[in-house]
């Protein structure tokens, strides 16, 4: 009886804390206060962010990770994509967008609204997603086809990752936001580049292999052998290869 009570309590705690486990909203970096209103979502929420190098024919949209300050990617992407207008719009609850709570449904809807907005302004759109952002990038690209899609440390589903980490819990019953990227991968028609970290305990390669099998489009794979899940964001060789792609 005591064991059952403890188990039930542990499951309830996991259920209550799952939003914090999936999303860790980043605060706005102090050096990037120049954000502006970029897009109004389908629910009427105005999302703020940064539009660098405006009014170019080509555009780049970047979807960040679960706790990423995406404004910190502005400098490296300015160097690697100098001919693109570059869009950095934090998720609701992140950075300058403190209104609203992140959820899979909301973030995917917002991602589509952003890509639709960008596609209406430019003749050429490329998309990059990193870590959890590969879910939003893949979903948006399945709805609004870009010219190319780059995925950094991708995975097939948060559900599968959670099952591997919490084997003792009925995760399939507890988890609300599953981010089953494979369901969107089958609808992507743009060429895909996947960039993996050589040492990745957050999104191990096994979860990428499951996702890879779901794409019907051409997929190019690179591995940054000396990088881990976090350090790969600072890998100049990776950004160069993504730009070449």
């Amino acid at each position: 009886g005591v064991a059952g009570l403890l188990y039930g309590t542990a499951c309830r705690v996991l259920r209550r804390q799952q939003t914090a486990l999936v999303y860790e909203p980043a605060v706005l970096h102090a050096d990037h206060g120049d954000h502006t209103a970029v897009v109004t979502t389908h629910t009427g929420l105005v999302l703020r962010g940064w539009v660098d190098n405006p009014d170019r024919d080509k555009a780049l949209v970047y979807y960040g990770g679960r706790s990423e300050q995406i404004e910190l990617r502005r400098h490296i992407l300015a160097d690697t994509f100098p001919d693109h207008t570059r869009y950095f719009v934090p998720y609701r609850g992140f950075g300058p967008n403190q209104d609203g709570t992140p959820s899979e449904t909301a973030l995917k809807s917002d991602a589509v609204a952003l890509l639709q907005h960008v596609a209406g302004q430019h003749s050429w759109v490329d998309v990059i997603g990193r870590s959890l952002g590969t879910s939003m990038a893949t979903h948006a690209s399945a709805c609004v086809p870009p010219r190319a899609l780059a995925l950094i440390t991708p995975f097939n589903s948060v559900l599968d990752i959670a099952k591997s980490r919490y084997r003792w819990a009925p995760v399939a019953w507890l988890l609300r936001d599953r981010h089953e990227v494979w369901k969107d991968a089958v609808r992507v028609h743009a060429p895909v580049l996947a960039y993996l970290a050589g040492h990745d305990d957050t999104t191990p390669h096994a979860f990428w292999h499951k996702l890879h099998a779901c794409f019907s489009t051409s997929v190019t794979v690179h591995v940054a052998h000396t990088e881990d899940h976090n350090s790969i964001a600072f890998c100049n060789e990776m950004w160069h290869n993504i730009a070449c792609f």
Side-chain angles (χ1 to χ4, degrees):
V2 172
L5 179 62
L6 292 174
Y7 180 76
T9 300
C11 288
R12 287 192 294 272
V13 170
L14 186 61
R15 183 174 179 84
R16 287 197 300 269
Q17 293 184 344
Q18 62 180 283
T19 298
L21 292 172
V22 178
Y23 312 102
E24 187 180 350
V27 298
L28 176 65
H29 192 277
D31 295 335
H32 295 266
D34 55 334
H35 50 81
T36 60
V38 177
V39 63
T40 301
T41 70
H42 300 308
T43 60
L45 178 66
V46 176
L47 292 178
R48 302 182 67 83
W50 300 267
V51 181
D52 294 340
N53 198 29
D55 301 324
R56 301 286 179 154
D57 290 335
K58 297 180 180 180
L60 174 71
V61 181
Y62 184 82
Y63 297 100
R66 66 180 287 269
S67 60
E68 186 174 0
Q69 293 174 303
I70 63 172
E71 57 269 29
L72 298 182
R73 307 293 162 248
R74 294 172 69 191
H75 178 73
I76 186 65
L77 292 179
D79 291 339
T80 49
F81 291 91
D83 297 325
H84 285 64
T85 296
R86 300 173 297 276
Y87 289 80
F88 306 87
V89 180
Y91 307 128
R92 58 175 69 196
F94 287 61
N97 298 315
Q98 291 300 305
D99 292 336
T101 300
S103 70
E104 180 179 1
T105 299
L107 267 55
K108 284 185 173 180
S109 177
D110 295 348
V112 172
L114 173 59
L115 195 54
Q116 287 175 332
H117 170 75
V118 174
Q121 306 295 317
H122 304 270
S123 60
W124 174 309
V125 181
D126 295 315
V127 172
I128 298 176
R130 177 176 173 234
S131 191
L132 185 66
T134 62
S135 176
M136 271 58 76
T138 304
H139 179 75
S141 296
C143 299
V144 186
R147 291 295 296 265
L149 170 63
L151 303 175
I152 303 169
T153 59
F155 61 94
N156 66 316
S157 80
V158 165
L159 175 61
D160 273 9
I161 293 174
K163 283 181 177 179
S164 73
R165 293 184 182 175
Y166 303 98
R167 298 179 185 275
W168 53 269
V171 171
W173 178 71
L174 294 172
L175 191 64
R176 290 187 297 268
D177 289 5
R178 300 180 174 219
H179 287 280
E180 294 173 305
V181 187
W182 62 271
K183 291 183 177 180
D184 291 311
V186 299
R187 300 187 294 120
V188 171
H189 300 294
V192 174
L193 171 65
Y195 228 107
L196 313 182
H199 310 282
D200 196 336
D201 295 329
T202 303
T203 54
H205 294 183
F207 299 107
W208 154 246
H209 295 318
K210 290 182 179 181
L211 177 63
H212 191 180
C214 296
F215 284 107
S216 59
T217 187
S218 63
V219 179
T220 303
V221 183
H222 285 291
V223 180
H225 293 283
T226 62
E227 306 297 340
D228 61 30
H229 189 82
N230 293 320
S231 68
I232 195 171
F234 307 98
C235 179
N236 289 326
E237 180 182 6
M238 179 194 72
W239 293 116
H240 172 75
N241 288 333
I242 290 176
C244 290
F245 175 79

